């Protein structure tokens, strides 16, 4: 079975700045496949019912509605699996932090923290349920995020998402170390 690529980051200096190139983990391929499969298995029959006027009886429309609900859940799962998975570059210098082309001065930034995914229930279910739980657990394992609090009352800023726990902790420590260098220098 193919293992999902784990997240990683590299640090380099450019002049007086420290650059962090962050590569989130790829979404679990089996999770994406399951979401697409569910979407197709339920979405296509629902579409067939909705497009055929002869099948617009209450029972068929009710079944199509339930199928569309499953399709909506599959779409939400796909969006969540892909959210925050784009590569990012962070730049720290004496002036502040630049993330996603947006510069923020040090005076507007609060504490950084790592947000870990909630742990699912550990259940050793046999068969298809155990397989689904294992796939979901692998996907959830790479959903840690590093966020930066803001002192101006704005929402915390996502610095990196789609990380495994170890990478998130190492990135947090590296960001703190780099920021400490700029505070001592300034």
């Amino acid at each position: 079975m193919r293992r999902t690529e784990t997240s990683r980051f590299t640090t380099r200096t450019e002049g007086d700045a420290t650059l962090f190139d962050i590569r989130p983990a790829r979404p679990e391929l089996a999770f994406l496949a399951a979401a697409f499969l569910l979407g197709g298995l339920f979405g296509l029959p629902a579409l067939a019912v909705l497009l055929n006027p002869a099948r617009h009886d209450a029972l068929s429309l009710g079944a199509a509605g339930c199928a569309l609900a499953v399709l909506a859940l599959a779409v939400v799962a796909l969006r969540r699996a892909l959210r925050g998975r784009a590569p990012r570059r962070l730049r720290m210098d004496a002036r502040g932090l630049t993330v996603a082309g947006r510069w923020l001065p040090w005076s507007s930034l609060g504490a950084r923290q790592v947000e870990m995914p909630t742990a699912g229930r550990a259940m050793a279910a046999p068969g298809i349920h155990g397989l689904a739980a294992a796939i979901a657990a692998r996907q959830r394992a790479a959903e840690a995020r590093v966020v930066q609090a803001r002192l101006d009352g704005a929402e915390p800023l996502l610095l990196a998402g789609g990380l495994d726990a170890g990478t998130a902790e190492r990135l947090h420590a590296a960001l703190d170390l780099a920021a400490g260098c700029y505070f001592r220098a300034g």
Side-chain angles (χ1 to χ4, degrees):
M1 180 182 340
R2 183 176 94 54
R3 296 290 300 167
T4 301
E5 182 181 324
T6 60
S7 55
R8 63 188 186 281
F9 70 95
T10 57
T11 306
R12 63 187 169 91
T13 58
E14 185 177 278
D16 68 337
T18 304
L19 300 175
F20 294 87
D21 292 313
I22 304 162
R23 304 283 285 161
R26 289 188 181 150
E28 178 67 31
L29 186 59
F31 187 86
L32 297 176
F36 275 115
L37 181 64
L38 277 175
L41 285 175
F42 286 89
L44 293 175
L47 183 63
V49 168
L50 295 175
L51 292 177
N52 185 352
R55 298 185 68 191
H56 284 184
D57 60 281
L59 184 60
S60 296
L61 289 175
C66 291
L68 289 175
V70 172
L71 176 63
L73 289 174
V75 169
V76 168
L78 276 173
R79 287 190 62 174
R80 183 173 178 210
L82 298 172
R83 181 184 65 207
R85 300 287 176 139
R88 281 208 176 213
R89 173 172 285 168
L90 305 177
R91 178 185 171 94
M92 286 186 168
D93 58 24
R95 297 180 327 126
L97 172 68
T98 305
V99 58
R102 188 169 166 206
W103 174 74
L104 298 160
W106 290 116
S107 61
S108 70
L109 300 176
R112 270 177 302 286
Q113 68 181 33
V114 174
E115 294 179 350
M116 295 293 186
T118 58
R121 293 181 295 182
M123 215 166 68
I128 193 76
H129 300 296
L131 177 63
I135 290 169
R138 285 194 308 265
Q139 173 64 26
R140 210 172 22 255
E143 290 182 351
R145 304 167 10 131
V146 178
V147 295
Q148 175 76 55
R150 308 257 318 262
L151 297 176
D152 57 6
E155 286 288 317
L157 182 64
L158 176 66
L159 299 180
L163 306 173
D164 58 74
T167 302
E169 292 292 346
R170 287 189 305 277
L171 177 61
H172 183 263
L175 290 169
D176 283 348
L177 181 65
C181 292
Y182 294 114
F183 285 127
R184 281 194 299 274

